[in-house]
């Protein structure tokens, strides 16, 4: 607010609040969150509501954080992916002026959901159950600049889909990079399978297990080339770990 932002209040679950919030907006960045309620239909309805409101308000450009349609591609469900794919399809069906961005795993997950786990022998385990397969990654912080570039170059990106990525590495490669920068700490990849992860029992575990299975068996459409076209400063994992060495030592391993 101090820099001139106008703050408005709205709720995805109350469509009557969305129109006033979007009135006069040039563009909107839309994110829906399956894991807030673990409710597929609710998330889809939320996405449709904001799409309808954006269309009615005459928003010039919507950038929607979408994901792949795992059920169609792989033949098994991944609810927090499939919900966003359905929202994307709806946005296209109503001719919403939109660009669709698809994020991979965030490097920042090592501070939160996938903090390294200290084992009895003093080493740290990285918990992504990728079973040796590589996965795309990116810094979520870096992608704010990429989204800004999409808004600033509307005509070039309207109607397109961009899969964000900085690199594609195995978890043993993550472990090697972290061991190099965070020495003398030693990191290694978990031996857990995606199937076993899905049976851990916490809310959403089964869905995340299917996500990792999808990562392993298929190649999500992500492009480091397009990502760096949008933001040349996009950091790879090695650079990101070096830049965040102190924070990782104090917060992720603390």
């Amino acid at each position: 607010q101090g820099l001139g932002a106008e703050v408005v209040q709205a709720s995805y679950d109350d469509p009557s609040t969305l129109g006033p919030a979007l009135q006069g907006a040039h563009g909107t960045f839309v994110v829906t969150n399956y894991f807030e309620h673990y409710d597929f239909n609710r998330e889809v309805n939320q996405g449709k509501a904001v799409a309808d409101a954006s269309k009615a308000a005459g928003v010039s450009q919507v950038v929607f954080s979408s994901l792949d349609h795992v059920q169609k591609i792989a033949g098994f469900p991944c609810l927090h992916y499939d919900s966003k794919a359905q929202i994307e399809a709806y946005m296209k069906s109503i001719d919403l002026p939109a660009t669709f961005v698809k994020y991979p795993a965030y490097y920042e997950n090592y501070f939160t959901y996938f903090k390294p786990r200290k084992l009895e022998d003093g080493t740290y385990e990285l918990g992504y159950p990728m079973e040796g397969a590589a996965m795309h990654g990116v810094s979520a912080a870096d992608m704010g600049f990429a989204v800004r570039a999409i808004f600033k170059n509307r005509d070039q990106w309207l109607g397109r889909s961009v899969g964000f990525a900085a690199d594609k590495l195995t978890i043993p490669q993550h472990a090697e990079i972290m061991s190099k920068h965070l020495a003398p700490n030693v990191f290694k990849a978990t031996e857990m399978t995606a199937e076993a992860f899905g049976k851990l029992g916490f809310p959403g575990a089964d869905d995340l297990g299917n996500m990792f299975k999808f990562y392993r068996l298929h190649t999500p459409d992500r492009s480091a080339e397009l990502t760096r076209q949008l933001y040349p400063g996009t950091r790879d994992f090695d650079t990101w770990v070096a830049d965040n060495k102190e924070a990782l030592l104090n917060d992720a391993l603390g």
Side-chain angles (χ1 to χ4, degrees):
Q1 286 176 291
L3 295 175
E6 178 186 355
V7 179
V8 294
Q9 185 171 342
S11 169
Y12 281 160
D13 290 318
D14 184 356
S16 69
T17 67
L18 297 173
L22 291 167
Q23 201 63 46
H26 168 78
T28 181
F29 182 70
V30 177
V31 182
T32 57
N33 183 10
Y34 167 82
F35 293 105
E36 184 178 5
H37 303 289
Y38 303 96
D39 187 327
F40 178 90
N41 290 327
R42 184 171 182 175
E43 183 186 7
V44 171
N45 288 335
Q46 289 177 340
K48 288 181 176 180
V50 75
D52 290 339
S54 297
K55 180 89 171 179
V59 173
S60 176
Q61 184 181 16
V62 173
V63 177
F64 176 57
S65 183
S66 187
L67 284 170
D68 314 82
H69 201 311
V70 174
Q71 180 69 61
K72 278 188 178 180
I73 297 169
F76 54 83
C78 182
L79 298 180
H80 76 285
Y81 269 54
D82 297 340
S83 54
K84 292 169 185 63
Q86 283 201 16
I87 295 167
E88 176 180 338
Y90 181 76
M91 288 180 169
K92 291 177 177 176
S93 77
I94 64 170
D95 294 322
L96 191 68
T99 303
F100 305 97
V101 297
K102 296 179 171 72
Y103 284 79
Y106 309 147
Y107 300 152
E108 287 87 350
N109 287 344
Y110 283 125
F111 287 116
T112 56
Y113 306 110
F114 284 89
K115 275 190 174 185
R117 184 171 71 95
K118 192 168 187 178
L119 304 177
E120 290 185 2
D121 64 3
T123 63
Y124 287 88
E125 181 182 73
L126 304 182
Y128 286 106
M130 287 297 296
E131 303 175 55
M135 73 175 190
H136 294 99
V138 81
S139 166
D142 287 351
M143 291 306 91
F145 298 101
V147 170
R148 181 180 67 179
I150 290 172
F151 278 120
K152 291 180 71 173
N153 298 277
R154 173 186 181 274
D155 292 344
Q156 180 182 353
W157 295 98
L158 204 62
R160 296 177 65 180
S161 181
V162 184
F164 289 153
D167 51 25
K168 186 178 183 182
L169 301 172
T170 65
I171 306 309
Q173 287 175 310
H174 277 212
E176 181 180 349
I177 289 168
M178 294 178 80
S179 295
K180 175 181 72 174
H181 289 293
L182 306 179
N185 298 294
V186 175
F187 298 81
K188 60 186 179 184
T190 184
E191 296 181 0
M192 181 177 288
T193 65
E195 182 179 3
F197 187 98
K199 296 177 180 176
L200 289 177
F202 63 83
D206 54 345
D207 204 57
L208 290 172
N210 280 349
M211 177 187 73
F212 291 121
K213 180 180 177 182
F214 173 66
Y215 284 174
R216 182 169 56 84
L217 297 179
H218 299 269
T219 302
D221 186 12
R222 308 289 184 267
S223 172
E225 181 181 354
L226 275 181
T227 302
R228 289 193 170 88
Q229 182 181 332
L230 284 163
Y231 179 51
T234 299
R235 293 169 292 176
D236 61 16
F237 187 64
D238 188 276
T239 305
W240 181 84
V241 174
D243 288 348
N244 288 275
K245 177 178 178 179
E246 293 307 316
L248 286 164
L249 288 171
N250 295 328
D251 298 333
L253 307 186

